[in-house]
Amino acid sequence: PQDSIPAVEPIEFAENSPEESPFLENDISSYQARINNTLESENPYSLALREQYEALGQLLQKSGEHSEAIVAFENAMHIDRVNGGLFTLDQIPLVESLIASHDALGNINEAIDFHGYLYYIQLKTFTEDDPRLLAAKETWADWNLRSYLKETVLQEIAPLSAGANQSRRIEYVAIQHPRNGTYIYIPRSQLPNVLNPN
């Protein structure tokens, strides 16, 4: 619905059972054939083609073929942008799916770029008094903080595992979550980066 912004969370991809795989392959082949037929008979920017690309991408994601899923989602997103403009909200589910597939492939930089693009779409679309903009800002801040903490933990652990000086003390600062009131702790030296990710 237009009134809410879906949170961007990593999508868990369940392993397919052996019985399910042939059905997925048949569905994927079916959508690929439909796309070819639509390309031959309809406008290359039709809503039908956009929906077929998105459905194909979801099936490819489910089967673990993330590189192919990315191509399908990008094709669908291109149609959205041609029809609705560069900042159309229709592309938000596609951007979220692209993030999930890039995360699954370990394409960190691409996932970061799409997170930024998702937030940019919302900044360009919503007015300052639109509650959806506040939700978008909170989601963006949460993602930046999670990413930062994950990266910081890895950087803190790496020297210790390499036998570096373990007597180094790190001073942590408590930050209260704006929505649920819980606290998280970050190194004081990194506080400016968390409060202003740009």
Side-chain angles (χ1 to χ4, degrees), residues 109-161:
N109 291 334
E110 289 82 354
I112 289 170
D113 288 345
F114 277 110
H115 274 290
Y117 180 61
L118 179 64
Y119 181 54
Y120 187 67
I121 293 168
Q122 296 163 336
L123 277 180
K124 294 292 282 185
T125 305
F126 302 136
T127 60
E128 277 299 322
D129 59 346
D130 191 324
R132 294 175 294 177
L133 182 59
L134 176 60
K137 287 181 176 182
E138 288 180 350
T139 300
W140 172 245
D142 289 348
W143 176 79
N144 274 285
L145 190 55
R146 281 194 311 271
S147 297
Y148 168 75
L149 290 173
K150 187 189 306 182
E151 184 178 319
T152 302
V153 167
L154 292 175
Q155 288 175 354
E156 301 285 344
I157 291 173
L160 297 179
S161 61

Side-chain angles (χ1 to χ4, degrees), residues 6-108:
V8 180
E9 297 292 343
I11 295 173
E12 297 294 327
F13 297 103
E15 291 296 320
N16 298 316
S17 65
E19 306 85 42
E20 189 177 17
S21 293
F23 293 110
L24 270 177
E25 290 171 18
N26 289 339
D27 289 343
I28 289 169
S29 298
S30 173
Y31 270 102
Q32 288 168 333
R34 284 185 201 174
I35 287 169
N36 291 335
N37 290 338
T38 304
L39 285 170
E40 290 175 6
S41 63
E42 290 189 32
N43 178 336
Y45 304 112
S46 70
L47 181 59
L49 185 59
R50 184 257 188 229
E51 291 173 351
Q52 290 165 359
Y53 275 129
E54 183 176 20
L56 175 62
Q58 290 169 348
L59 290 169
L60 289 164
Q61 254 186 353
K62 192 171 182 184
S63 67
E65 299 174 56
H66 292 285
S67 295
E68 293 82 357
I70 287 168
V71 173
F73 291 132
E74 286 178 342
N75 286 335
M77 192 166 80
H78 179 66
I79 293 171
D80 277 343
R81 293 171 76 181
V82 167
N83 290 326
L86 294 178
F87 310 115
T88 176
L89 297 178
D90 293 340
Q91 64 189 314
I92 286 180
L94 299 169
V95 175
E96 293 173 343
S97 295
L98 283 163
I99 291 168
S101 277
H102 280 299
D103 278 342
L105 290 172
N107 299 338
I108 296 169

